[in-house]
Amino acid sequence: MACTGYDFGKDVQNHLDAPMPWIGMYVAAASLICSLAMAADAFHGFRSNKFWFPSKYFSLNATFLALLAVSLKLPVDLTGRMWAVTDRLAKISSLILMSIAIGNFMPSLGSMNDKEILMNVTALGILVLTVIVNVCIQIIQMRHFLDRRLMFAEEIVALIFMFLLLVMLGSLAIMVPTTKKYLKSKYREMLKMASEEELAEMGKLTFDQLRIMVKKYWVMAETSSPQFVIARSATCTASGVICLLIALVLAEARVRTLMVYKTFRRTASYYDSSTNWILLIHSIGVTLGTIAPALRWFTAINFKCSEGGKKSTFKDELKIETYWTQMLDEWKESSLSWHIRDRKWRKLLHDTKRPMLSFFVGVQSMVVLASKLVRLISVLFMSPIISCFHNMRKLKNVSDSNTSRVHQVSESGSNTEPDLSRYVLLLEGEVLLPQKTLQNIWNQVDKVIQIGKRQQPKNLIDLLKKFGDFRGVREFDCDEVPSLHIHEPPNCWSLPLVTLTSIAIALPNISTHNANRLLSSVNEGLFFVKLVEKCLDRHGDLVSIRNAADVVWVGVELYSKWQDKDLNEMSLKGRESKEILQELSNKAEKTVLEFNRDVKDFLMENPLNWPGKVIAANSMYRICRNILLDYEGDRPWTDEGLFTRLTVMIADILAACLTNLPRVISIKCHRNAINHGPKKARQAALLLGESREILQILQQHRTPRGLHPDHAAYIEKWRTFREQEN
């Protein structure tokens, strides 16, 4: 019976162990995803010349914490038989990969709010401490066999470094909220200083002036980015040294193993050959993941050793700025957030809180001091080597720099640009960034503008060359057309454009080429028009009007239909333009009148609450009736002549709307928040490049004098102003 029981238990165990190689492959797959994400961040940093390597793909969140928990399956396995060389290497590489991941997580704290930082750092701490406890339990339980435990020293070093990196991440998490408040305050002050002159000259800004303006805000956005601030902090740069050292620990373990055992492929665990894949992927992940932290450290050291770095005393280098401990100090002095009625308990908890937070302040100060000491030692050690390379590079590039300077003069027409270094946002104790770093930031603006230039709307530019003096803004509608309702819905820029284009392509005897070209031109123009409307209609008063235009345009552009009218069929030969205008007008009038007759809701008395179909129909009715008035006058229009007139009218409306582009670009810069500043600044630079020729065309026809910039944002204000002029 004992033998039978033993056989049964062994059979059950074999069935339980059978899927372990597949679980090992699952661990390898999770590790591969993390490794690729870290590699993607490194590639993004090189590609964008951001050698502080922002966390764009690999960040501290639930997804990557779950993947890392899977990749740590081997170290937390207390019962697995993992004493062979490959098993031990795979276990240690798991710990080292986790350490490298923590080093890559650090900049991502800048993109989180306070609650996200607390939750994610707490979750990471629980994960790391769980791993440490599991490994320690296994060491204690196997203490009688430590003499046979391969690479025990490397395992302990990996645990120590992993815990140190967790502490450093926690140190940064305490610093980030205070730093963000300081950056927001300083950003607002600098924004106010930068915008005073521009608002007065907004209607007169040239392309070059707008380029300088975008550069100015780009510098502010980049240097105040919380991720950049964290990446250049002492703690984050010091973590690069630890990541580099721990990667060398894995390399040493692999080399020593190869020299002693002559192979890596020796396993005794139930994970079988999957440990080979885990070890391979972990090694690749550690190598790729070390790039970003190590280069952050090297960039900081290079800056300190360069001529651009400000020379400071030993005392200044080791000074602990207030923002590192300010949040802890505020917590220590603040009252308890819990509502406890008993005064004695409140006093006891408050007295307990103070020494506890004092201890954490001391730990925080030690971490920051140690990080600054590591950076200082690195500078002293690396300074001779880096200085030697700097001198060699200067001697080599003297002639190249002269040639480049001449080329820059010929490109820009001047050899100087305004000094934008005063728009760099720095924390307390930080010295000015090196000129090369600032130059990389400025060059990014020009690169994005060049990308925008290659995407300029050619059809729209050709259409804008036809506009005259904005007369179409006033002429597309007139007061002589009787209203269908006691309240007229207001116009936005896009609605008359969509309506006029629908009429133009429905006219007979117009070539398909001309109709399609107009359609493409207006489609390109509506992209910029929508930007203007969305940006300048701050209160959203015209949202329903814009939505009506969007719905109509989808039918016109994709299906050549205005509501249920096929515009291609209407333009068949044999019909007159007047007949088509009358048919569109009657259809629109019928739609509005039926709505007014059937709807009794008092809310619909406000045209802004009308359905989009009715708003679009009212616009079609008024514009068609306005054009028909000309037919009844002394100037009958031919089909081609009417098409040309509508084209010019469309160009006038587009031109009037796009005179707001400089203001839109400025507002995009002004509305930058420190978390999304670089993204908004990039959008402004891209828009500037896309609208270069548009701005040059519009500069030949300035906005009418006396029209307030706030009024220029609305077509109704333009019409009122033009009527008063006449």
Side-chain angles (χ1 to χ4, degrees), residues 325-336:
T325 58
Q326 182 176 334
M327 189 170 74
L328 293 174
D329 290 330
E330 290 175 355
W331 286 352
K332 185 171 66 173
E333 301 300 331
S334 64
S335 60
L336 293 171

Side-chain angles (χ1 to χ4, degrees), residues 578-630:
K578 186 174 181 180
E579 182 183 352
I580 291 174
L581 289 168
Q582 189 68 55
E583 183 177 346
L584 287 171
S585 174
N586 292 340
K587 166 64 178 174
E589 182 179 6
K590 180 180 178 182
T591 301
V592 177
L593 292 177
E594 286 180 352
F595 171 77
N596 290 336
R597 184 181 65 249
D598 297 338
V599 176
K600 304 301 182 182
D601 191 346
F602 74 95
L603 291 176
M604 293 304 169
E605 291 295 321
N606 184 355
L608 293 177
N609 296 329
W610 289 1
K613 180 180 179 180
V614 179
I615 293 174
N618 187 78
S619 176
M620 176 64 76
Y621 162 77
R622 294 196 61 83
I623 291 177
C624 285
R625 287 294 182 185
N626 182 48
I627 299 172
L628 286 170
L629 289 176
D630 282 346

Side-chain angles (χ1 to χ4, degrees), residues 307 386-402:
E307 294 180 358
I386 294 177
S387 298
C388 180
F389 278 107
H390 278 316
N391 293 330
M392 292 174 61
R393 189 180 300 170
K394 286 180 181 179
L395 293 174
K396 182 179 179 181
N397 294 335
V398 168
S399 60
D400 295 339
S401 63
N402 292 333

Side-chain angles (χ1 to χ4, degrees), residues 192-210:
K192 184 178 179 181
M193 176 189 71
S195 61
E196 287 178 350
E197 297 180 359
E198 293 158 8
L199 291 177
E201 300 293 329
M202 189 54 59
K204 305 176 183 178
L205 290 177
T206 63
F207 175 83
D208 290 332
Q209 290 172 327
L210 286 169

Side-chain angles (χ1 to χ4, degrees), residues 260-287:
V260 174
Y261 298 97
K262 310 300 181 184
T263 182
F264 294 133
R265 297 178 178 273
R266 185 177 299 175
T267 179
S269 69
Y270 296 124
Y271 296 98
D272 201 23
S273 60
S274 65
T275 53
N276 294 319
W277 286 103
I278 293 173
L279 177 59
L280 175 63
I281 292 173
H282 283 179
S283 300
I284 295 173
V286 168
T287 303

